[in-house]
Structure formats: structure tokens, C-alpha cells
Amino acid sequence: MENGTEKEKSKFLTSVNGPSLSEINNTVAIPASNSFWKNLLAFSGPGALVAVGYMDPGNWVTSISGGAKYGYLLLSVILVSSLIAMLLQYMAAKLGIVTHMDLAQATRIHTGKKLGITLWIITELAIMATDIAEVIGGAIALNLLFGMPLIVGVILTVFDVLLLLVLMKLGFRKIEAIVITLITVIMAVFVYEVAISQPNIPEVLKGFIPQKQILNHGQLTMALGIVGATVMPHNLYLHSSISQTRKYDHNDEETTAKAVRFATWDSNIQLSAAFIINCLLLILGSALFFGHGEELGTLTSLYDALQDSSIAGAVASPLLSTLFAVALLASGQNSTITGTLTGQIVMEGFIHMKIPTWARRVITRMLSVVPVLLCTIYFGGNEAALDNLLIYSQVFLSIALPISMIPLVYFTSSKKIMGERFKNPLWVSILGWACAIVLTGLNIQLIIETLF
């Protein structure tokens, strides 16, 4: 599958840095059976960890606020973003399975040291932006449920990494099972809340059709925030690594093709669940809060609005608010697991840093906790400031996305890197490059409009 120079590069990388996430790489057995369902079950799991990034707390304010401000208009943005995500995650999983390298390793091996370090810094900032949303969401959830001061909640999120270290000792399948359970909790909460909010179904369906007014500045800013919260740069690195956790004969093309096929099934099924949850968030915002968009800029204001009959109407109740906070806490915990793993992947892949696992995870967590902690202290625990930080972090993710998307499309479209059988078909490459170009253009437009 690899040949010539690329094969030598891969061997060199493996000898220097070892496989991605070596403690879980190639550890999950798959059945020898050709049964579709048995294989799907065996390969199911990595897609759930990836899907977590598409429903983290960063989505909540952007999606619900988008519904509250613009009704169902931006449902089409969630749809397009989810389709782009499915395409990119397919490429990411395939890259890892076929080349036995994650995206960070592959990028570093095809760039010089200086460029590799520069890309690592940008990627770390993107992960930090992702983790900021998780830290803020977890701290606010603890505050809403238990009255815990925000600064205490932020500090407690540092200890989430200890939970991950324990889970890693139990085996990767245990982590996958916990993540899937938490996703189920989140979906159940929002299915219930949307069901009792009685949304306008014809308007919901109409919202999936793109409209011209999305290109207006206010709508565009919110749309790019949704794209940034939906299509996550760090997930491309994560998926290219954890797709290698399944144990099979890597030298056999047929088993490799089987791994790619079922990894794609797993990814698309889990991302469909994430798509539904994101739609539910926006529909909830529109059905209950349309016309109150300016009043609902924070997670606490959303929590309060769910029990305020003057805003949410007859369905308002403390139960809705409590369920909202429980789902928020579940989302934050899920995202903690994946964000910390990704920090490890990019640190190892880009700069070949060799430090103990626990230290690496504490460092990656502290990189995101420190700015949130400073912001909390500076603004005296003002949640509005934290939520603004959360929203801007999502817009930054949208701007950072092409930096990881472009190498991914390039690598997976290359016959030299992927081999004839596994390189992207022409139509997939065209779609991938189109997504990269369009998203980059929209980001440039957003920056110009914001500055001038």
C-alpha cells in the first residue's frame, strides 16, 4: 500500500515515535466471521468518541442561540456541516488504517521541522479552543446542579484527566461504552425537551433548505460558529489515531479494506446521532426561545429560561432545567476524554515529545484550563464573559479547520501515500477540495467583515 520513499518514511517514524497511542493501538480483537452485524459491533466505538466532538458544550450556545435569533434558518448549516464531517472523518479513519499513521504523524513526516512545529502550535490552539468549551460547560453544569462556584468548577476539571487514566487501564472498549452511554443520555434529554416544546414541523423541514440570508453578517457569524462547533479540527487527528485500535492483519489488503469499510459505517452512524442532537438543540432554541435571542447568550440564561414561563411558555419547569444541566455535564465529561486523547496524539505526532503519559495529559489539560481560570478570576466569575470566550473559541475552530483539512485531503488523495486501492476516488477528492476552498473563503469573508 505504501511504496518507495513513503514506506521508508513510515518505518522511520515508527522507529522514532512508535505507533499512535501505543497503549491502546492494535488491542481490540475483531471476529473472523464475515457477519455484517458482528463486524459492525466489533468496529463500533471510535465513531462515538469522534461524534462527541460534534456535540460538545461549544455547540450548545451557538446552536440554541442560532435558533433563538434566526428560527430554523440555520438547520441547513448543521446539515451541510454534518455531511462535510462525515466526508472528513471517513478520510481520517482511512488514513490511519491504511498508513498506520495518524494525521499529526503524517503531516510531520511530510513537512520540515520548523513547519511541523508551527502547525503543532496552531493545532494545540485549536485543541485549546475545543477544551475551553468543555471546561466552561463542565464548570457551569456543576454550578447549576450543585451551586458550586465557577472558579471551583474550573479547577475540578483538571482532575478529569485522572478519570481518563483509570479508564485507560480498564481497556479502550470500556471507554467507548461509557462514551456511548453518555451520548444516549444527552439524546434522550433533548428528544424529550423538543417533543414537549411542540416545534413547527413544516418550518423545521423548510430550515434544511439553504437560504440566501445566511450570508448576511450576523447570520454568517453564527453559521461559522456552528460550523466551528460541528466540524472539529481535533477530531481529524483523533479519528486517524483511534481507528488503529482494532487488531487485524495490517499487511493484508482485504482485511484492511474491511477495516476501512466498517470504520466508515461506525463513523457515519455515530455522526448521524450527533447531527440529530445538534438539530434538536437548534430546534429547541427556535421552538421555545425565538424572539428572545439577545436574552439567551449564556448557558445559565438558557437554564433559567427553561423554567421561566414568560419565555418558554407553558412547558417551562424546573425538571427541564435540571435535565438540561445533566446533559451539559454528560457532554463536558465526554469531551474531556476525547480532548485529552487528542492533545496526546498531536504532541507525540508533531514534536515527538516523550514524557510520561500522566504528565502529558496533565499538560494538555492545563493548556486549556489556564485561560479559562484567568478569565474567570479577571471577570470575577462572570458567566457572560465565559460564554463569550466559548463562542469566540468556536469561531476560531472554524478558522483553524483548513489547516488540518487540507493536509488530510492531500494525503488521502495521493496514490503514493495511500496506494492505488485506497486513495480517494476522484469525486471524493473534488468534494474534499471544494469543502476546504469554500470554508476557507467564508472564513476570510468573516475576518474582513469583522475588521472593516
Side-chain angles (χ1 to χ4, degrees):
M1 287 167 279
E2 289 179 301
N3 50 51
T5 305
E6 297 306 322
K7 189 172 183 179
E8 294 305 315
K9 285 180 178 179
S10 182
K11 286 181 178 178
F12 172 75
L13 179 61
T14 300
S15 67
V16 171
N17 200 40
S20 180
L21 294 179
S22 56
E23 63 267 42
I24 58 175
N25 188 286
N26 201 37
T27 59
V28 180
I30 61 171
S33 168
N34 288 324
S35 167
F36 174 84
W37 296 108
K38 286 183 179 180
N39 279 286
L40 181 60
L41 180 62
F43 278 93
S44 292
L49 272 74
V50 170
V52 162
Y54 294 90
M55 59 182 87
D56 75 344
N59 295 59
W60 293 43
V61 171
T62 49
S63 293
I64 296 179
S65 296
K69 289 181 180 179
Y70 307 115
Y72 304 111
L73 175 68
L74 299 179
L75 281 172
S76 59
V77 176
I78 294 177
L79 174 61
V80 172
S81 297
S82 297
L83 292 174
I84 292 173
M86 289 180 183
L87 177 66
L88 295 176
Q89 296 302 158
Y90 153 73
M91 292 183 187
K94 184 171 68 169
L95 177 70
I97 291 168
V98 174
T99 68
H100 322 311
M101 292 188 289
D102 61 56
L103 180 58
Q105 291 173 328
T107 303
R108 173 59 194 274
I109 211 68
H110 289 89
T111 58
K113 183 177 180 180
K114 290 183 180 179
L115 180 56
I117 292 175
T118 301
L119 293 174
W120 170 67
I121 292 172
I122 296 172
T123 305
E124 283 287 5
L125 290 174
I127 293 173
M128 188 186 299
T130 304
D131 228 13
I132 282 172
E134 297 155 7
V135 170
I136 292 172
I140 291 174
L142 290 171
N143 174 261
L144 297 176
L145 288 171
F146 308 112
M148 190 177 294
L150 286 175
I151 192 168
V152 175
V154 170
I155 293 171
L156 280 179
T157 60
V158 176
F159 297 97
D160 287 345
V161 295
L162 300 179
L163 172 64
L164 179 58
L165 289 171
V166 172
L167 291 175
M168 292 291 275
K169 296 293 184 183
L170 296 176
F172 195 63
R173 287 296 267 175
K174 300 292 191 305
I175 295 177
E176 293 171 346
I178 291 170
V179 167
I180 290 171
T181 301
L182 292 174
I183 289 174
T184 304
V185 170
I186 296 168
M187 180 174 286
V189 167
F190 286 112
V191 165
Y192 171 73
E193 295 197 344
V194 168
I196 66 172
S197 71
Q198 299 180 334
N200 185 325
I201 299 302
E203 289 297 314
V204 169
L205 296 176
K206 182 180 176 182
F208 289 109
I209 302 172
Q211 306 291 327
K212 284 184 179 180
Q213 56 262 47
I214 292 176
L215 295 178
N216 295 336
H217 180 65
Q219 289 91 325
L220 178 63
T221 302
M222 185 63 72
L224 282 177
I226 290 174
V227 171
T230 305
V231 183
M232 307 291 278
H234 80 283
N235 268 339
L236 304 180
Y237 297 97
L238 177 66
H239 205 181
S240 62
S241 175
I242 61 176
S243 64
Q244 301 177 54
T245 55
R246 271 45 188 176
K247 191 174 183 178
Y248 57 90
D249 184 0
H250 295 279
N251 296 316
D252 182 68
E253 280 202 356
E254 292 306 317
T255 56
T256 299
K258 173 182 173 181
V260 171
R261 182 168 70 255
F262 282 101
T264 304
W265 271 101
D266 171 46
S267 176
N268 288 344
I269 290 170
Q270 301 294 349
L271 288 177
S272 295
F275 164 70
I276 292 170
I277 289 174
N278 284 323
C279 288
L280 291 173
L281 287 165
L282 192 141
I283 291 169
L284 183 69
S286 181
L288 293 185
F289 308 133
F290 185 59
H292 297 276
E294 300 304 321
E295 305 168 34
L296 302 173
T298 70
L299 289 166
T300 296
S301 62
L302 290 170
Y303 173 86
D304 293 335
L306 285 168
Q307 54 187 326
D308 186 346
S309 58
S310 66
I311 297 178
V315 302
S317 73
L319 175 63
L320 287 186
S321 289
T322 301
L323 288 174
F324 176 84
V326 168
L328 181 60
L329 186 61
S331 177
Q333 291 305 304
N334 254 350
S335 300
T336 290
I337 294 172
T338 58
T340 308
L341 285 174
T342 309
Q344 177 181 346
I345 292 164
V346 300
M347 189 179 289
E348 289 182 350
F350 276 116
I351 61 174
H352 300 170
M353 182 176 286
K354 286 286 188 181
I355 58 176
T357 301
W358 66 268
R360 184 166 52 239
R361 289 188 178 133
V362 169
I363 289 171
T364 55
R365 191 60 169 171
M366 289 301 295
L367 284 172
S368 58
V369 168
V370 168
V372 180
L373 194 59
L374 292 176
C375 186
T376 305
I377 295 171
Y378 183 79
F379 290 102
N382 184 343
E383 193 209 329
L386 291 184
D387 275 286
N388 284 332
L389 180 61
L390 189 153
I391 291 173
Y392 287 126
S393 74
Q394 301 311 299
V395 175
F396 174 78
L397 285 174
S398 185
I399 295 172
L401 180 61
I403 294 172
S404 54
M405 189 193 313
I406 290 171
L408 177 65
V409 177
Y410 172 76
F411 295 148
T412 55
S413 298
S414 169
K415 177 182 175 181
K416 188 176 182 181
I417 296 172
M418 301 295 292
E420 179 63 39
R421 180 168 182 177
F422 295 106
K423 71 180 180 66
N424 290 334
L426 180 60
W427 68 271
V428 172
S429 294
I430 291 172
L431 274 179
W433 286 119
C435 290
I437 292 169
V438 169
L439 187 56
T440 302
L442 287 174
N443 288 327
I444 292 173
Q445 180 182 343
L446 173 64
I447 294 169
I448 293 172
E449 290 187 5
T450 301
L451 291 178
F452 302 106

